[in-house]
Amino acid sequence: MRALRWTALGWIALGSLLAAPLTASAQETATDEAGTALTRYYDAMAERRLLARETGSASQLRDLVRAGERLYLDDRFEEAQRILYEAVESPRFRDFDSLDEYREAEFMLAGALQRLGALRSAWRYLERILERGAEDPYFGPAYRRAVDVALEEANLAQAIERLQGVAPQEILPPDAANELLYLQGRERYDAHDWEGSARLFEQVGRRSRFYANARYLQGVIAAQAGRLDDAEDQFCAIATTEDTDSYTFFVDRRYFEIRDLTWLALGRVAHEARRPEDAFYYYFQVPQDSDRVAAALFEAAWAMYEGDDHDTAVDQLDQLETRFPDSPYVHEASLLRGYVHLARCDFEDADQLFRAF
């Protein structure tokens, strides 16, 4: 049976799991167009004197933003964006654009639009915040959200150009500079410029939320090039870092997904290096509540089969069949089980499995 080998194409696919870009849909386009239409609507109302600028007040704006905030925090983004649009686009409140509440409404509106998939409209409001400069209190959060929007929209080169136009890289605060470095690295990675992307990822600092992402992709690049020891070092820098009182690196919700991918990657590196026991150890570290458990069980079974530990291979396949009967690995697992029987000289059982497959 052909050994399970992780080709360069396979490692590219593994790296792409980290942040698969979203494609534009009709719903996203409709939401973007609705935002533009609302802006035109408010302006037309004002021009016809049906909406007087002087009817607004700072207290009314604050009440409106608080109502939008409650909806936003309840994840009711469709309702929140309607209220927040009024706060930031109605001529009634344009005289109050220097207030903190107005700036907060802009930032929340960008977030609501992002969650609704209206990425172009979200970017428009984020860019409006960023153009005020790094001294604006919402510059840092808006820069991070702009990078998230860019990663979702997948037009990284254009996003990088526009972000550099807002503020030159050399004057960015450290956090924003790390964000841009990671985005530049991702753009080079997606273009298969492995050396260029690795140089950029190497510069992403430990205090960046993308530090673990950058180390992971450096490991994928090294694995693609066959530098398995280097790849293992990069992956271990994420997965095996002990929790201590001292600061190690920034952790957010992304980290736990990356850590699960990293244990899989370590298992694959050990498997590729023909170290089945190490591979099994790494696969076993994938948390039992992870979405990657089925993949870990299947790949651990492969590693054990190739390491001639047939009992452990069968145990992993039994767990996979019992716990994940509808997993994408079910058919391949039955084929692997047949080869385990073949290796044990259980020819009749093997023959039945092969015929069923």
Side-chain angles (χ1 to χ4, degrees), residues 49-353:
R49 300 182 182 277
L50 297 174
L51 185 65
R53 181 187 298 266
E54 59 270 15
T55 59
S57 67
S59 62
Q60 288 175 327
L61 174 64
R62 292 187 181 101
D63 291 342
L64 199 62
V65 174
R66 293 286 79 79
E69 182 182 46
R70 285 192 293 271
L71 292 168
Y72 182 87
L73 294 176
D74 285 340
D75 293 344
R76 295 161 64 183
F77 301 113
E78 182 70 39
E79 299 168 78
Q81 58 104 14
R82 296 194 194 105
I83 290 176
L84 295 170
Y85 261 127
E86 183 179 355
V88 302
E89 293 294 353
S90 173
R92 294 193 304 150
F93 300 117
R94 287 180 187 166
D95 284 344
F96 306 105
D97 61 359
S98 61
L99 293 181
D100 290 342
E101 288 82 2
Y102 186 93
R103 307 289 178 88
E104 180 187 358
E106 278 184 317
F107 182 68
M108 282 194 296
L109 177 57
L113 291 168
Q114 180 192 2
R115 296 294 293 271
L116 292 169
L119 301 180
R120 286 175 295 171
S121 291
W123 182 276
R124 181 159 60 94
Y125 287 103
L126 292 168
E127 204 166 31
R128 202 157 87 176
I129 297 170
L130 296 175
E131 285 172 351
R132 299 189 190 114
E135 296 78 18
D136 189 279
Y138 285 95
F139 182 90
Y143 206 99
R144 289 192 292 274
R145 183 158 285 165
V147 169
D148 288 338
V149 169
L151 290 169
E152 288 186 59
E153 199 170 24
N155 193 345
L156 303 189
Q158 183 184 71
I160 290 166
E161 182 180 357
R162 292 171 72 177
L163 287 172
Q164 289 176 323
V166 167
Q169 197 157 356
E170 57 271 13
I171 69 167
L172 286 175
D175 181 68
N178 278 315
E179 296 276 317
L180 185 57
L181 281 168
Y182 178 74
L183 193 64
Q184 290 170 320
R186 274 294 310 278
E187 190 275 330
R188 289 291 81 209
Y189 181 90
D190 292 348
H192 297 180
D193 176 6
W194 313 126
E195 291 185 6
S197 59
R199 283 195 298 271
L200 289 159
F201 289 143
E202 184 63 34
Q203 298 176 61
V204 176
R206 284 180 171 269
R207 291 186 177 273
S208 169
R209 64 183 177 139
F210 287 121
Y211 176 79
N213 303 55
R215 295 288 82 74
Y216 175 83
L217 289 175
Q218 281 182 281
V220 172
I221 291 167
Q224 288 169 191
R227 304 193 312 273
L228 300 183
D229 289 344
D230 182 19
E232 193 162 8
D233 288 343
Q234 295 290 350
F235 294 138
C236 283
I238 304 168
T240 63
T241 299
E242 295 291 339
D243 293 329
T244 64
D245 293 335
S246 60
Y247 188 89
T248 53
F249 56 82
F250 183 92
V251 170
D252 69 357
R253 60 181 175 80
R254 292 176 175 81
Y255 169 74
F256 301 100
E257 171 69 9
I258 297 164
R259 187 183 59 185
D260 295 350
L261 284 172
T262 300
W263 284 121
L264 276 181
L266 281 165
R268 291 168 181 178
V269 167
H271 190 174
E272 184 74 16
R274 300 184 183 279
R275 292 155 40 208
E277 291 183 359
D278 289 343
F280 179 80
Y281 169 79
Y282 288 137
Y283 288 130
F284 190 74
Q285 302 308 308
V286 175
Q288 293 303 298
D289 60 351
S290 169
D291 293 337
R292 310 291 175 185
V293 174
L297 288 169
F298 175 68
E299 293 180 25
W302 267 102
M304 292 296 96
Y305 163 73
E306 292 189 350
D308 293 326
D309 187 345
H310 302 141
D311 289 341
T312 304
V314 169
D315 177 67
Q316 298 301 294
L317 291 171
D318 287 344
Q319 289 191 54
L320 178 63
E321 182 179 352
T322 300
R323 297 174 60 188
F324 305 101
D326 300 320
S327 82
Y329 305 98
V330 62
H331 298 301
E332 291 177 276
S334 70
L335 186 62
L336 175 57
R337 190 186 291 273
Y339 276 95
V340 173
H341 283 302
L342 193 62
R344 289 170 152 182
C345 299
D346 298 332
F347 300 118
E348 185 175 345
D349 290 338
D351 182 65
Q352 289 177 358
L353 285 163

